């Protein structure tokens, strides 16, 4: 029976595509107060400022492209004979643009809007603002970015834990291990006797919990990992 692989990615996998990470030197949280733009309280205090923050991040994604790490994971999904689950904390669409078909965005997606009135999600075709109305229920000023903020529950957690517990190998790529519940996946894997591998530029907060840790750029480590996983 071919081993099933559960992959978690974080901002680090998109770093070489030119997308800012959060906690690296010069990262996003050193420039913007996350309490202002990544919490429900911040949004209720100043929704237009939060819209402007995510509108700018959405616009900047138009100028970046997937890197070899994203393409390698798409190849793994296509060619690996066993199950592959890809869960990302990232809200960018670089996995999809590299060809990954089944991506679980546990922190939501920058490309989507969410209506706080009826819960409808829609493609954010243009900048979001309070001036827009929900196309499903017609409520004006009811749209927010479909991004899970601090203190909110991530998406599809039951499915994520089921897949994690069914895996034979847990691979964590490009995440600092600073935020739960994603940061707790390696401990869950360990308790369940699931092998774990960290592929990260530098040791993460939870690096000591992994069976193996390889440190370096994702654009090098991930294609090498996939090549080995696909070797006959
Ligand atoms: P946490 O307790 O894991 O906090 C991690 C770090 O985030 C903290 O060390 C702090 O630096 C910062 N932080 C978190 N909330 C903050 C706040 N209100 N003000 C200032 N700094 C804050 O994070 P959490 O608050 O328990 O959030 C975890 C929940 O939020 C989880 O459900 C997680 O999926 C969800 N969430 C977190 C993030 C995130 O960016 N990390 C994004 C989306 C969703
Ligand atoms: N290759 C591999 N890893 C990299 C690279 C790279 N080229 N560049 C940076 N990294 C690593 C860093 O060493 C760091 O451990 O990626 C990690 C990025 O960590 P964070 O900036 O904390 O990003 P992430 O772990 O995804 O943050 C988790 O916090 O604020 C929230 O919603 C946000 O989903 C995010 C969550």
């Amino acid at each position: 029976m071919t081993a099933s692989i559960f992959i978690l990615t974080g901002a680090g996998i998109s770093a070489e595509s030119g997308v800012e990470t959060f906690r690296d030197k010069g990262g996003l949280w050193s420039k913007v107060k996350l309490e202002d733009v990544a919490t429900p309280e911040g949004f209720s205090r100043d929704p237009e400022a939060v819209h402007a923050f995510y509108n700018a991040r959405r616009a900047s994604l138009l100028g970046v492209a997937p890197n070899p790490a994203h393409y390698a994971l798409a190849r793994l999904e296509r060619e690996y004979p066993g199950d592959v689950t890809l869960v990302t904390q990232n809200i960018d669409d670089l996995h999809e643009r590299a060809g990954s078909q089944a991506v679980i965005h546990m922190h939501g997606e920058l490309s989507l809007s969410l209506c706080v009135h009826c819960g409808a999600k829609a493609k954010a075709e243009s900048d979001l603002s309070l001036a827009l109305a929900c196309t499903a229920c017609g409520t004006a000023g009811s749209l927010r970015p479909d991004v899970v903020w601090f203190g909110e529950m991530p998406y599809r957690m039951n499915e994520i834990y089921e897949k994690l517990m069914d895996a034979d190998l847990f691979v964590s790529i490009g995440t600092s291990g600073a935020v739960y519940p994603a940061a707790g996946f390696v401990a869950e894997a360990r308790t369940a006797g699931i092998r774990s591998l960290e592929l990260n530029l530098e040791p993460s907060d939870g690096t000591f919990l992994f069976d193996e840790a390889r440190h370096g750029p994702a654009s090098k480590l991930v294609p090498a990992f996939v090549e080995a996983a696909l070797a006959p």
Side-chain angles (χ1 to χ4, degrees):
M1 170 78 165
T2 311
S4 68
I5 305 176
F6 180 108
I7 294 169
L8 170 71
T9 64
I13 198 170
S14 298
E16 290 165 272
S17 296
V19 181
E20 280 175 308
T21 63
F22 295 93
R23 295 172 186 84
D24 284 319
K25 195 168 170 332
L28 216 43
W29 296 148
S30 68
K31 297 174 189 161
V32 188
K33 284 171 70 182
L34 71 78
E35 307 88 297
D36 294 341
V37 294
T39 60
E41 299 77 11
F43 185 66
S44 53
R45 267 199 307 275
D46 189 347
E48 288 298 14
V50 173
H51 277 313
F53 174 70
Y54 289 97
N55 290 340
R57 288 180 70 191
R58 193 175 303 110
S60 65
L61 278 187
L62 301 176
V64 299
N67 66 60
H70 296 104
Y71 286 110
L73 293 183
R75 181 184 171 214
L76 185 73
E77 182 190 63
R78 271 196 314 276
E79 299 178 17
Y80 184 69
D83 284 341
V84 175
T85 298
L86 175 56
V87 175
T88 187
Q89 298 173 92
N90 299 339
I91 57 177
D92 65 50
D93 60 350
L94 293 175
H95 283 303
E96 288 86 351
R97 284 163 59 188
S100 287
Q101 303 289 315
V103 184
I104 300 178
H105 282 271
M106 64 182 286
H107 284 169
E109 295 179 70
L110 197 50
S111 62
L112 297 178
S113 65
L114 172 67
C115 174
V116 297
H117 183 73
C118 72
K121 298 189 184 205
K123 208 103 184 96
E125 301 297 352
S126 64
D127 281 356
L128 295 184
S129 80
L130 291 180
L132 299 179
C134 170
T135 49
C137 70
T139 310
S142 65
L143 300 185
R144 62 169 270 185
D146 185 26
V147 170
V148 178
W149 286 324
F150 282 98
E152 294 181 324
M153 266 315 284
Y155 290 138
R156 302 169 65 179
M157 286 311 295
N158 292 339
E159 179 186 352
I160 288 172
Y161 280 121
E162 271 170 35
K163 297 273 190 185
L164 177 59
M165 290 299 111
D166 283 346
D168 299 296
L169 174 63
F170 167 61
V171 185
S172 176
I173 303 170
T175 180
S176 61
V179 178
Y180 287 82
F185 290 174
V186 60
E188 303 274 351
R190 214 178 154 74
T191 307
I194 296 164
R195 269 186 314 121
S196 54
L197 168 64
E198 174 174 84
L199 304 178
N200 209 56
L201 191 62
E202 57 205 13
S204 71
D205 290 357
T207 200
F208 61 96
L209 290 169
F210 285 86
D211 294 314
E212 185 190 354
R214 299 173 199 160
H215 297 134
S219 64
K220 300 279 179 298
L221 293 181
V222 180
F225 164 75
V226 169
E227 200 60 49
L230 295 177

